[in-house]
Amino acid sequence: MPLFIYNSLSKKKEEFVPLQGKTVKMYTCGVTVYDRCHIGHGRSLYVFDVVRRYLKCRGYDLQFVRNITDVDDKIIARAQETGRSSKDLSEEQIRLYHEDLKRLDVAPADVEPRATDDIADMVTHIQALIDKGYAYASDADVYFDVRAFKDYGKLSGQGIDQMQEAVRIDKDSRKKDPLDFALWKSSKPGEPTWESPWGGGRPGWHIECSCMSMKHLRTQTLDIHAGGRDLIFPHHENEIAQSEALTGKPFAKYWIHHGLLTINGQKMSKSSGNFITIQQALSKYPADELKMFFLFSHYSSPIDFTEDKILEARKALAKFDVLFYRAAQLLQNKDLEPVQAGFITKYKNEFTAAMDDDFNTPKALAALFSLINDTNLFIDQNTDDSAYLGVIYHAVDVLENLGRNIFGLFLKEKTQELTSELQGLLDRRLAAKQAKDFQLSDKIREELRGKGIAVEDTKSGQTWRWI
Ligand SMILES: [Zn+2]
């Protein structure tokens, strides 16, 4: 069965056919390291991690590059505000970003280029654009001439004149056209600076991605270029213009964009006090709860972060845990072979069909929940058929593997031993529950949650899991 991907460039769902056999060259715009990453970044990192995992499971040889923008106006401004050097600030933020990735259990990219390591390549690229008549130097800055590139606007689907109405007109007399964008910016005293034929300065943000993607994926046409919807214009439009003007070839075959995240219906911003960093979110919710919340929506849809939805995600995860617990009770210490069953194959196929349809995670999740339900019903039959345990073993194996390998769930180490203190708390909670002292049992449940254990009550008794 073919895989279909919605291509933002053609605005159609298209069959995915990489340029060269099973090799897939994928680039994602990474973070600009001037502040801690927020949960919108968390969604971006995670949804493309799922895409990457799925492509790998489908047998593609994926080469994945996600850059780091470590020179940028925002970094310079933030460093100046806080009296630090840009380098010092970006190094610190890169370290914190790596911590976030690790705690989210999002895999590192195969190559993670930093803009400041590739400036010589950017200078060469800019010079070539000037030589070809697509860019011009104006004082010590260099601009891309958007009117020289006939396809400008093809990704965002707007003509140059429409765009001019949409953007604030920047009356900069150094530009031929207000939409022309900087490829090279001259540096002011005290700003980080690199040598160039146009004097000391730094590259513009857009040219960084064009250079790093083509250089590190060793191609002029990427298979997949991914990023947030907010980057379509001007960032990705400009990446296309700079790259295609240079090479004369399509820059990327498929463009994938994820939808944006709001908090309680509001755009996230520091000034409205609803800015949630990945670190803050992970101090409150385990990574799997955030991931489950992200999976509830298709990657291209907008998503609204609310406490209620996180609680829904918690309940959804508990369905897995309850089944895993039940199965573990039945299967413990038994040497079993998996036994096929029609319902397992059916839901596994539904899962694959959903993922093949533009990575439709809500539908794929629904298939997993149907598998959980039917496995629970199957367990309830409680037959003494010799295949009975083998089917349960197989169903749980499928759920664990799809959850782990495609969705990146259940990755946290869960083999730590229960201390006698934790066992004591679990026993006391159970006793309180049995004595119908719900106030005490709820209090102990919260205490256990604080110590990294989630407790659930099921038909077969109290179950727990590490969170
Ligand atoms: Zn980019």
Side-chain angles (χ1 to χ4, degrees):
M1 283 292 288
L3 164 66
F4 284 85
I5 296 182
Y6 180 84
N7 188 349
S8 312
L9 186 61
S10 64
K11 289 151 195 77
K12 281 198 295 253
K13 235 184 242 182
E14 292 176 20
E15 183 177 342
F16 180 62
V17 184
L19 292 158
Q20 278 186 321
K22 295 296 259 184
T23 301
V24 176
K25 299 189 177 207
M26 176 169 173
Y27 181 83
T28 303
C29 296
V31 290
T32 299
V33 283
Y34 71 103
D35 204 346
R36 295 221 55 152
C37 292
H38 54 65
I39 53 171
H41 295 123
R43 181 190 193 197
S44 177
L45 292 164
Y46 177 59
V47 295
F48 295 135
D49 193 49
V50 171
V51 167
R52 179 186 182 188
R53 285 169 173 280
Y54 190 63
L55 290 172
K56 279 193 171 177
C57 282
R58 252 181 150 285
Y60 291 108
D61 172 19
L62 192 75
Q63 296 169 26
F64 183 73
V65 175
R66 183 173 54 220
N67 77 303
I68 289 181
T69 294
D70 62 346
V71 54
D72 181 83
D73 295 353
K74 285 179 185 157
I75 300 173
I76 294 169
R78 180 63 56 87
Q80 284 175 347
E81 275 164 35
T82 50
R84 305 169 70 180
S85 73
S86 294
K87 174 119 185 110
D88 185 39
L89 172 67
S90 60
E91 288 294 338
E92 175 198 67
Q93 292 302 323
I94 289 169
R95 189 174 50 75
L96 296 171
Y97 164 62
H98 285 155
E99 273 177 22
D100 288 344
L101 280 177
K102 213 166 163 200
R103 289 187 64 200
L104 266 180
D105 271 316
V106 164
D110 299 315
V111 188
E112 189 183 62
R114 296 185 184 188
T116 53
D117 288 334
D118 287 333
I119 290 190
D121 300 86
M122 296 168 200
V123 168
T124 307
H125 190 141
I126 296 168
Q127 184 61 56
L129 288 174
I130 295 176
D131 296 344
K132 288 187 155 206
Y134 287 105
Y136 56 93
S138 182
D139 300 331
D141 298 324
V142 181
Y143 294 100
F144 188 91
D145 183 351
V146 293
R147 289 190 187 265
F149 181 69
K150 66 173 176 29
D151 284 338
Y152 194 71
K154 70 174 170 182
L155 179 68
S156 51
Q158 5 172 30
I160 289 185
D161 296 319
Q162 267 177 296
M163 287 184 213
Q164 281 193 336
E165 282 168 30
V167 295
R168 234 181 319 134
I169 298 296
D170 168 12
K171 285 213 179 88
D172 187 338
S173 59
R174 290 170 303 170
K175 293 186 189 180
K176 288 189 196 169
D177 186 289
L179 284 172
D180 291 353
F181 56 90
L183 297 168
W184 187 261
K185 299 177 175 188
S186 54
S187 50
K188 296 188 189 81
E191 291 182 350
T193 186
W194 286 265
E195 279 313 304
S196 82
W198 319 286
R202 61 181 181 277
W205 172 39
H206 316 302
I207 194 77
E208 294 179 2
C209 282
S210 289
C211 276
M212 286 187 275
S213 57
M214 290 194 279
K215 178 182 175 183
H216 296 283
L217 287 168
R218 285 187 235 88
T219 184
Q220 292 184 328
T221 304
L222 324 177
D223 288 294
I224 299 175
H225 192 310
R229 245 170 216 290
D230 52 337
L231 298 184
I232 292 177
F233 181 79
H235 184 53
H236 290 162
E237 198 70 75
N238 293 352
E239 282 189 40
I240 290 175
Q242 302 156 155
S243 308
E244 298 189 359
L246 180 79
T247 66
K249 294 180 184 152
F251 176 44
K253 194 169 176 195
Y254 301 90
W255 283 84
I256 309 183
H257 290 100
H258 67 76
L260 302 181
L261 180 141
T262 48
I263 311 255
N264 296 315
Q266 302 278 315
K267 195 169 180 254
M268 191 171 8
S269 78
K270 286 212 163 136
S271 54
S272 46
N274 64 354
F275 192 89
I276 303 177
T277 64
I278 293 178
Q279 181 208 27
Q280 286 164 339
L282 288 177
S283 67
K284 242 177 131 183
Y285 319 109
D288 279 0
E289 288 180 5
L290 286 178
K291 289 179 176 180
M292 185 57 76
F293 159 68
F294 294 141
L295 291 170
F296 282 163
S297 304
H298 188 261
Y299 75 84
S300 66
S301 310
I303 190 169
D304 190 36
F305 182 87
T306 64
E307 188 80 23
D308 282 355
K309 290 209 188 116
I310 282 285
L311 292 179
E312 252 178 68
R314 185 172 296 170
K315 281 187 195 151
L317 278 167
K319 288 185 187 163
F320 281 91
D321 286 317
V322 168
L323 174 62
F324 291 165
Y325 182 86
R326 288 189 81 189
Q329 304 294 306
L330 290 164
L331 306 177
Q332 58 188 331
N333 305 323
K334 295 196 177 71
D335 196 12
L336 292 162
E337 287 294 319
V339 174
Q340 300 288 344
F343 71 96
I344 303 176
T345 313
K346 177 178 170 242
Y347 295 128
K348 213 175 146 182
N349 290 342
E350 279 184 20
F351 179 92
T352 308
M355 290 302 285
D356 278 348
D357 183 13
D358 195 26
F359 313 105
N360 193 327
T361 59
K363 251 179 142 175
L365 257 187
L368 296 189
F369 289 120
S370 299
L371 179 52
I372 290 174
N373 277 342
D374 281 17
T375 308
N376 276 316
L377 291 173
F378 184 83
I379 292 176
D380 292 341
Q381 292 172 9
N382 204 9
T383 66
D384 51 8
D385 185 328
S386 60
Y388 173 69
L389 291 178
V391 169
I392 299 168
Y393 173 76
H394 183 40
V396 167
D397 194 49
V398 166
L399 283 164
E400 270 183 344
N401 279 318
L402 293 177
R404 183 176 300 127
N405 299 337
I406 312 292
F407 290 159
L409 298 167
F410 323 131
L411 293 173
K412 292 268 180 267
E413 193 57 62
K414 292 189 177 179
T415 52
Q416 53 197 114
E417 289 289 313
L418 260 192
T419 60
S420 54
E421 181 213 352
L422 292 172
Q423 185 61 59
L425 280 171
L426 283 167
D427 293 345
R428 275 179 52 209
R429 182 183 178 276
L430 186 61
K433 183 99 189 161
Q434 282 164 350
K436 299 202 172 352
D437 185 347
F438 300 117
Q439 208 181 347
L440 180 62
S441 74
D442 284 349
K443 195 175 150 252
I444 301 174
R445 182 209 286 259
E446 278 314 299
E447 194 177 341
L448 282 161
R449 177 162 273 281
K451 293 178 189 291
I453 288 186
V455 182
E456 304 292 339
D457 295 307
T458 72
K459 271 193 279 179
S460 41
Q462 171 176 284
T463 71
W464 64 272
R465 65 188 162 98
W466 295 109
I467 50 174

